[in-house]
Amino acid sequence: MADLSHTESLEKIFEKYIPEAELKEVKRILYGRELQPLEIAAEAKSLSEKNDFEIQGYKFSAPEEELRTPRVVRIAGIQSKIVLPTTASLKEQRDAIHSKIGKIIEAAHHCGVNIVCMQELWNMPFAFCTREKFPWCQFAESAENGPTTQFLQELAMRYNMVILSSIMERDENHGDMLWNATVVIDNHGRVLGKHRKNHIPRVGDFNESNYYMEGNSGHPVFQTEFGRIGINICFGRHHPQNWMMLGLNGAEIVYNPSATVGHVSEHMWGIEARNAAIANNYFTVAINRVGTENFPFEFTSGDGKPAHKDVGFFYGSTFVTGPEGSRTPGLSRTRDGLMIAEIDLNECRQVKDLFSFRMTQRLDLYADSFKKASHIDYKPQIVE
Amino acid sequence: MADLSHTESLEKIFEKYIPEAELKEVKRILYGRELQPLEIAAEAKSLSEKNDFEIQGYKFSAPEEELRTPRVVRIAGIQSKIVLPTTASLKEQRDAIHSKIGKIIEAAHHCGVNIVCMQELWNMPFAFCTREKFPWCQFAESAENGPTTQFLQELAMRYNMVILSSIMERDENHGDMLWNATVVIDNHGRVLGKHRKNHIPRVGDFNESNYYMEGNSGHPVFQTEFGRIGINICFGRHHPQNWMMLGLNGAEIVYNPSATVGHVSEHMWGIEARNAAIANNYFTVAINRVGTENFPFEFTSGDGKPAHKDVGFFYGSTFVTGPEGSRTPGLSRTRDGLMIAEIDLNECRQVKDLFSFRMTQRLDLYADSFKKASHIDYKPQIVE
């Protein structure tokens, strides 16, 4: 497979070569309005240097309103590599990741972050490419009181932070089923609820449909002290209607914890979460894992290549988009990182008032059209 | 208003400053797989030089299949400025545009183009910013046999070309109502049908809801000799469900004839039509008009600025996206132009088989959820 790990980031290339005036125009056309960088706290900088992760922060400012006070919060995404080889004991693998992420969350605390989320299945390697059930299914744990949830509850309380944690869930109340779920832990350490992945991939080496079924939790939006949060897990970002239902339920911020590799999706990465922010007038945070994960045995290729031992290069590039489509640069393609955005939640409604996308949506028409199109005897509207 | 007309295109900046190896990587991350340029016929080049328009062409190649033959066609989009001042007689304005576009369609013919579409309301200035009904409503004409349709029918027959024509429609059979419609003329010069704009903007100076209502033609897909074509007119590109219904009806190519200006939408332009191509696995052609159109009287600003005489800078940047999300560069931001893509329609189904977006779409779930959400007493799914 082609080595896609050489480039640190698109933005670094732009900044290296393009003169200032043109660079400004490139950024305007590609990324939208100019976002001011946030000052990063010294304690956070020191943690990032000691533990080799990047921090970037930007400010989305919104006009002040006369009849509402601003609702300014700081939201963040964390991207990371696994720590130990996939052949180490599962407990050691998990503990090593917990420990590393604990330090990045501490840095987020020093930066005044109110809500944080890691990538999809952040506490384990993304092992579904192996098609092996064991040992990987052992990583599954209770959303309500598994070891990863307990680890994060303690941090949520300590830092007064909402933490979203994407895990493989073991559903003990329903015969030990597996799910791909994201747990929402509020800033008092309470498990507020969970969202289960609605759309499960069957693409190339992403064989997740072997492991768990389509989610049955609907499109919940979690009301926290820092805003209303929705979650669209990984492959769900290819499905605009999944994003839309979260908007209809009132989400102001939608997290997209992902795990995706360069040769499959990198050219789409900047498109989908951003399109969702535009169409639904909320903030989106798209988070991807980093690095290449090697497994002990070769596995079949799902896309016409020889058998291999890794699923490809996870290219990081975590970024935040605002409700009118302006976005931050991406984090590094190759390093662990923390992306912070200071936002005013009031901007969501301001943009709705400006663009009227929600009011011009004709939801009833599409409810009827989708229903008809889902019938087995549907006749498409074709003019010949 | 800031002058946004200096930059010729993003791609020209990249090519001027970024060295070859890094440029390749920038293009891969931003635009996807490498598309080979098409050779442009000498007659077309000569027309473009004489009449001052740009031609770009690219080839989207698809793997050959064993059980279907390739279905290779050439599709194109035309972007243009108006020709005469908005104070000239309406007939002269229209005739001058017809004449100019006739030459670009002739160039398309020399390039072997099978399907072509111009920008939204290509035969008139985009006058809705004025809030004046007169004289502009006089531009409206019958979709079936108005002068613009007749003009294009002749070209369609002469060049064996399908032509899509976005006009203000005068619906004489229903009490002289106005619509924003796109007429589909087949390669034998027959009016195959029309599609009416489903989503009408109320944004800033885009006051179209003063002029015509939401379309009542559903989401037709037109079966032509060169593929199944859908149309999503301008503002409809902000509505993912509008794109999706065209996909559900079997579209292989969806045209998005638009008229949109820099300060409103330029940072979204590369996102939405491309997201639609990815989500629905069809080709999209996003076409925008070019230039600044001045009107005789000042009109109120819809976005907090002083009254003014133009709606802003139409930034062109027409581009084509393939069904797996790779795209062409954009045409110029400032010049008339013709964008051609050679495509294999078979790629749509190939990408569907690879990604399974359609099969993992859970349409029935969303039909039910949208229906519930459209009820006046809807209670959003909020977890507190």
Side-chain angles (χ1 to χ4, degrees), chain B residues 166-365:
Chain B
S166 162
I167 60 168
M168 180 151 54
E169 180 196 0
R170 172 72 67 188
D171 185 2
E172 292 172 359
N173 290 343
H174 294 88
D176 271 338
M177 277 197 288
L178 301 173
W179 299 99
N180 183 319
T182 296
V183 188
V184 179
I185 300 165
D186 77 11
N187 53 319
H188 307 293
R190 181 172 65 115
V191 173
L192 191 54
K194 61 191 172 191
H195 173 72
R196 288 171 173 163
K197 187 172 182 172
N198 274 323
H199 302 270
I200 310 297
R202 294 112 161 107
V203 182
D205 281 329
F206 287 81
N207 289 285
E208 297 167 51
S209 67
N210 284 345
Y211 293 84
Y212 36 75
M213 307 293 286
E214 280 70 19
N216 61 354
S217 59
H219 296 85
V221 165
F222 299 91
Q223 176 70 61
T224 75
E225 288 180 29
F226 310 118
R228 286 194 303 272
I229 304 171
I231 300 144
N232 180 342
I233 304 173
C234 196
F235 192 70
R237 80 180 171 282
H238 305 301
H239 290 285
Q241 69 279 22
N242 196 31
W243 292 104
M244 187 179 295
M245 271 314 300
L246 296 167
L248 294 175
N249 284 331
E252 294 168 312
I253 308 154
V254 177
Y255 275 93
N256 174 231
S258 296
T260 181
V261 294
H263 67 283
V264 174
S265 69
E266 191 161 5
H267 65 292
M268 306 179 187
W269 180 249
I271 303 296
E272 293 158 304
R274 196 162 165 215
N275 190 75
I278 295 166
N280 301 291
N281 303 141
Y282 50 51
F283 291 87
T284 64
V285 186
I287 306 167
N288 189 17
R289 66 171 58 210
V290 188
T292 302
E293 301 175 358
N294 288 290
F295 294 94
F297 303 117
E298 291 199 322
F299 46 82
T300 183
S301 154
D303 48 4
K305 300 190 185 73
H308 45 269
K309 292 185 174 182
D310 72 83
V311 70
F313 175 68
F314 295 104
Y315 52 83
S317 307
T318 295
F319 70 102
V320 179
T321 304
E324 45 68 79
S326 294
R327 59 160 282 184
T328 68
L331 283 180
S332 160
R333 296 177 69 255
T334 62
R335 297 179 64 204
D336 294 351
L338 168 66
M339 171 61 76
I340 305 167
E342 180 178 297
I343 66 175
D344 183 346
L345 296 167
N346 283 356
E347 194 186 350
C348 299
R349 202 171 81 181
Q350 292 172 8
V351 177
K352 283 185 179 177
D353 285 350
L354 177 66
F355 281 118
S356 302
F357 292 164
R358 179 65 190 87
M359 284 197 287
T360 58
Q361 207 169 48
R362 304 186 74 181
L363 207 54
D364 204 45
L365 166 70

Side-chain angles (χ1 to χ4, degrees), chain A residues 5-246:
Chain A
S5 69
H6 293 303
T7 301
E8 182 59 26
S9 77
L10 212 50
E11 294 80 7
K12 287 237 162 89
I13 296 178
F14 293 161
E15 274 154 25
K16 183 167 173 187
Y17 295 110
I18 303 177
E20 198 176 323
E22 282 102 330
L23 182 61
K24 212 168 159 143
E25 187 69 348
V26 166
K27 287 183 180 173
R28 180 186 70 77
I29 294 174
L30 279 183
Y31 286 178
R33 76 181 201 257
E34 199 173 341
L35 307 175
Q36 294 306 317
L38 289 178
E39 201 173 321
I40 305 301
E43 301 93 322
K45 270 191 196 157
S46 158
L47 277 165
S48 78
E49 283 155 19
K50 257 185 241 153
N51 298 282
D52 191 25
F53 61 89
E54 177 192 20
I55 305 180
Q56 290 189 39
Y58 301 91
K59 184 174 173 171
F60 289 81
S61 47
E64 283 213 14
E65 301 182 20
E66 295 194 41
L67 301 176
R68 291 196 300 180
T69 50
R71 293 182 296 142
V72 176
V73 298
R74 292 194 173 187
I75 63 178
I78 294 174
Q79 66 178 33
S80 63
K81 299 175 207 169
I82 56 174
V83 180
L84 298 179
T86 59
T87 45
S89 91
L90 300 193
K91 184 161 187 324
E92 283 172 12
Q93 289 188 52
R94 188 178 67 200
D95 288 351
I97 298 175
H98 281 186
S99 167
K100 174 165 82 165
I101 296 299
K103 289 182 192 113
I104 307 185
I105 292 179
E106 187 188 341
H109 158 70
H110 290 302
C111 296
V113 166
N114 303 111
I115 308 169
V116 74
C117 178
M118 284 73 71
Q119 76 239 8
E120 187 184 24
L121 306 191
W122 66 278
N123 60 350
M124 60 179 281
F126 209 77
F128 309 119
C129 51
T130 63
R131 284 80 163 167
E132 300 287 355
K133 298 289 179 105
F134 306 106
W136 316 117
C137 288
Q138 298 178 64
F139 274 115
E141 55 177 271
S142 158
E144 287 71 24
N145 54 28
T148 297
T149 297
Q150 288 182 32
F151 167 73
L152 294 175
Q153 284 178 299
E154 208 277 311
L155 298 183
M157 272 189 288
R158 189 191 307 165
Y159 299 136
N160 189 38
M161 200 183 288
V162 172
I163 304 181
L164 313 186
S165 169
S166 163
I167 60 168
M168 179 151 54
E169 182 196 359
R170 172 71 68 189
D171 186 0
E172 292 172 356
N173 290 342
H174 294 90
D176 271 337
M177 276 197 288
L178 300 173
W179 299 99
N180 183 320
T182 297
V183 188
V184 179
I185 301 165
D186 78 9
N187 55 319
H188 307 293
R190 182 173 64 115
V191 173
L192 190 53
K194 62 192 173 191
H195 173 73
R196 287 170 174 164
K197 187 172 184 171
N198 274 324
H199 302 269
I200 310 297
R202 292 113 162 107
V203 183
D205 281 330
F206 287 81
N207 288 283
E208 296 167 52
S209 67
N210 284 346
Y211 293 84
Y212 35 76
M213 307 293 287
E214 279 71 18
N216 61 354
S217 59
H219 295 85
V221 164
F222 299 91
Q223 176 70 61
T224 74
E225 288 179 29
F226 310 118
R228 286 195 302 272
I229 305 170
I231 300 145
N232 181 341
I233 303 173
C234 196
F235 191 71
R237 83 181 170 281
H238 306 300
H239 290 285
Q241 69 279 23
N242 195 32
W243 293 103
M244 185 177 297
M245 272 313 300
L246 296 166

